[in-house]
Amino acid sequence: LHENAKRVELSLFDGEGERVIKVSRKRSFDGALRRLIEVRDQLCYHRTCEEPAHRCQVDHIKPWIQAGMTSQDNGRPPCCSHHRPRNQRPPPTPAG
């Protein structure tokens, strides 16, 4: 493609956009599954955030470490600001 050419991408969903294309124990969302979640959700999952999904990570709703599947139903796009707080552990409480 010429460097100034625009790309056109077509994504098809059946019914309500609930067609599952892949379920996996693989840890990361990539390829068609990641793109499907980006197109479906459009923005960061946080209700007040307007970060475009293509600039977000795609994360598990039910954590992978707790047997959360890498699937369309268990994925959502958090931006960097909304991804970090969820994955940070609380500071240890002082002994005393």
Side-chain angles (χ1 to χ4, degrees):
L1 287 177
H2 185 272
E3 66 183 60
N4 293 328
K6 297 201 184 229
R7 286 181 43 193
V8 175
E9 182 175 79
L10 176 66
S11 298
L12 298 175
F13 295 87
D14 68 346
E16 300 292 317
E18 296 178 11
R19 179 174 168 245
V20 176
I21 62 167
K22 185 176 181 183
V23 175
S24 169
R25 282 299 301 153
K26 187 174 159 183
R27 188 168 181 126
S28 62
F29 290 87
D30 55 17
L33 181 58
R34 177 186 171 87
R35 186 66 189 134
L36 181 128
I37 293 169
E38 291 171 355
V39 170
R40 179 194 69 194
D41 294 358
Q42 299 291 302
L43 300 171
C44 170
Y45 78 88
H46 193 272
R47 60 182 161 72
T48 62
C49 187
E50 295 186 12
E51 188 71 30
H54 71 273
R55 292 179 47 185
C56 295
Q57 300 170 33
V58 176
D59 193 24
H60 294 83
I61 296 167
K62 178 179 180 183
W64 184 84
I65 197 79
Q66 296 173 2
M69 296 301 289
T70 303
S71 68
Q72 176 184 344
D73 295 333
N74 194 40
R76 65 180 177 185
C79 69
C80 289
S81 297
H82 292 115
H83 186 251
R84 266 189 225 114
R86 176 180 170 208
N87 291 321
Q88 287 179 345
R89 294 184 180 166
T93 55

